[in-house]
Amino acid sequence: MADFAPVTYPAGEQPERRFERIIGNSAALESVLDQVEQVAPTDSTVLVEGETGTGKELIAHAIHNASQRCGRAFIKLNCAAIPLDLLESELFGHEKGAFTGAIAQKIGRFEMADKGTLFLDEVGDIPSALQPKLLRVLQEREFERLGSGRTHKVDVRLVAATNRNLVKLVARGQFRSDLYYRLNVFPIVLPALRDRREDMPALVTHFVKLFSRRMGKQVDSIPPETMAAFQGYSWPGNIRELQNLVERAVILSRDGVLPNPLHKKQTQPMIPSLHHPGTFQSLMTLEDSDRALIVKMLEQVGWVVGGPRGAAAKLGLKRTTLLAKMRKMGISRPIHTEETGGLGIAP
């Protein structure tokens, strides 16, 4: 049974934490933080992409805190949580009497965020009718409240986030292409938790300490089998799911020992099958799992390795690191049968 203790480093090797609220030091996470450091000093719009529960709001906070606007307001709005008929008022505000129920003037989120940062979560859910107004305020830095003809100027740094594929929404005519390009100035793709498993011990330790303190419970040890179960699970809900399950484990803990809160069937490593999309294969080796994930991502991006939309960026890796992994695993782009006389692999 392993004693419960904070993650430690050899003397003189403890890394300087640039973002104290962000837990982990995996290559995938460090790549994201490098991008945050690059873009934070600018006023450029940032689009944070990633699965649900990967920490998009935390990254938005990190961008704000590392910018020159850090002493100003950080305003957030979840676009999917506001009824469509109220979203425009939430963004731009309204005057008294602008519509039924508008009994007083309301300041919108853009005005609140003047000279600061506005974080728009789930930006892919903004309705089509409202998208031109959002595009205008991003381009012209001006807007009107509902029920008013007066134009307001604002100086706002926008960080948007989504777990939806905006490119597909543009192709289906559900999202304006010009708005997408305006949002996609500097994309940051967050890795899923299953792609940064080396951060698991630090994350589990952090959440155990957090919930132990809140509940007034003593948790002294994390058995190896509990940590192994965490390491082997696929985490479809990412860090948010991990946080909730650690909270459950702390509630269930006895005698200072953290139990395994996962059901037995959840501890089997599960990854999507490349041959049968939507189904799963289990008990794959870590190398098999990594290879399948790399091939799948390369196929999704048309075998583009580098660049902001390439496989390396989406996997949270450096281009040279991904190329080295591809060589080691024997991964190369398939070529068409007319080029080889059969289904072949490009050298």
Side-chain angles (χ1 to χ4, degrees):
M1 183 178 296
D3 289 337
F4 170 62
V7 176
T8 58
Y9 302 89
E13 294 184 16
Q14 183 166 355
E16 179 184 353
R17 291 307 305 165
R18 295 160 292 176
F19 307 104
E20 292 183 357
R21 294 181 60 197
I22 299 175
I23 308 299
N25 57 8
S26 63
L29 181 60
E30 290 296 329
S31 175
V32 167
L33 297 184
D34 285 342
Q35 294 175 70
V36 169
E37 286 189 326
Q38 288 177 317
V39 75
T42 74
D43 277 335
S44 297
T45 300
V46 180
L47 179 62
V48 185
E49 301 174 278
E51 297 177 9
T52 297
T54 48
K56 294 186 284 293
E57 183 176 336
L58 202 59
I59 293 299
H61 268 289
I63 293 170
H64 175 73
N65 291 338
S67 75
Q68 295 180 352
R69 298 172 182 259
C70 61
R72 302 285 185 166
F74 178 88
I75 305 297
K76 59 185 179 180
L77 178 67
N78 187 324
C79 300
I82 306 296
L84 299 184
D85 56 342
L86 296 179
L87 185 55
E88 182 175 0
S89 174
E90 285 294 328
L91 286 170
F92 306 117
H94 65 252
E95 298 293 342
K96 180 179 179 181
F99 52 85
T100 303
I103 59 175
Q105 184 188 77
K106 177 183 175 65
I107 302 299
R109 304 299 172 98
F110 269 97
E111 248 179 298
M112 293 180 189
D114 191 29
K115 303 296 190 298
T117 301
L118 176 61
F119 173 55
L120 292 184
D121 199 4
E122 306 297 350
V123 72
D125 289 284
I126 290 181
S128 301
L130 197 51
Q131 291 175 22
K133 295 186 177 183
L134 178 58
L135 178 63
R136 180 196 171 197
V137 72
L138 294 180
Q139 290 181 332
E140 309 297 333
R141 295 176 177 262
E142 62 183 29
F143 68 94
E144 290 85 33
R145 295 184 195 140
L146 280 172
S148 171
R150 179 187 170 193
T151 298
H152 294 266
K153 292 281 188 179
V154 287
D155 174 16
V156 172
R157 202 273 179 79
L158 181 71
V159 179
T162 182
N163 62 4
R164 305 183 68 182
N165 189 322
L166 295 186
V167 174
K168 289 184 178 180
L169 293 182
V170 170
R172 293 199 295 260
Q174 297 174 338
F175 202 87
R176 292 179 62 108
S177 59
D178 48 3
L179 177 57
Y180 167 70
Y181 295 129
R182 188 65 188 82
L183 293 172
N184 198 44
V185 174
F186 194 92
I188 297 179
V189 181
L190 302 192
L193 182 55
R194 60 183 171 274
D195 299 326
R196 40 177 295 211
R197 294 182 189 273
E198 57 267 50
D199 290 334
M200 189 68 66
L203 286 165
V204 173
T205 297
H206 169 75
F207 289 130
V208 167
K209 293 174 71 175
L210 174 68
F211 292 117
S212 296
R213 185 168 59 250
R214 286 184 184 177
M215 298 178 196
K217 296 191 72 171
Q218 181 103 6
V219 178
D220 301 308
S221 62
I222 303 174
E225 57 268 24
T226 297
M227 187 61 73
F230 283 138
Q231 292 276 16
Y233 182 46
S234 60
W235 299 108
N238 292 292
I239 296 174
R240 186 177 296 128
E241 183 182 13
L242 173 65
Q243 179 177 346
N244 293 338
L245 281 175
V246 171
E247 181 177 4
R248 180 193 304 175
V250 172
I251 294 172
L252 295 172
S253 64
R254 292 181 178 180
D255 302 322
V257 178
L258 190 77
N260 173 17
L262 291 160
H263 297 299
K264 186 175 181 180
K265 63 181 181 180
Q266 291 178 300
T267 61
Q268 300 294 336
M270 306 288 280
I271 69 166
S273 167
L274 299 179
H275 304 290
H276 303 284
T279 65
F280 292 88
Q281 296 173 319
S282 62
L283 300 176
M284 297 186 72
T285 67
L286 183 59
E287 183 173 350
D288 288 339
S289 175
D290 287 346
R291 190 181 195 282
L293 181 64
I294 289 171
V295 171
K296 183 178 181 182
M297 184 59 68
L298 285 165
E299 290 175 343
Q300 288 179 356
V301 300
W303 289 83
V304 176
V305 175
R309 308 300 296 181
K314 289 184 175 293
L315 290 168
L317 300 173
K318 294 182 179 179
R319 177 179 175 275
T320 53
T321 301
L322 178 56
L323 288 172
K325 285 180 175 289
M326 290 171 63
R327 285 193 294 269
K328 181 180 178 181
M329 296 177 181
I331 299 173
S332 53
R333 180 174 185 170
I335 59 177
H336 298 297
T337 54
E338 57 266 25
E339 294 177 274
T340 63
L343 181 60
I345 301 296

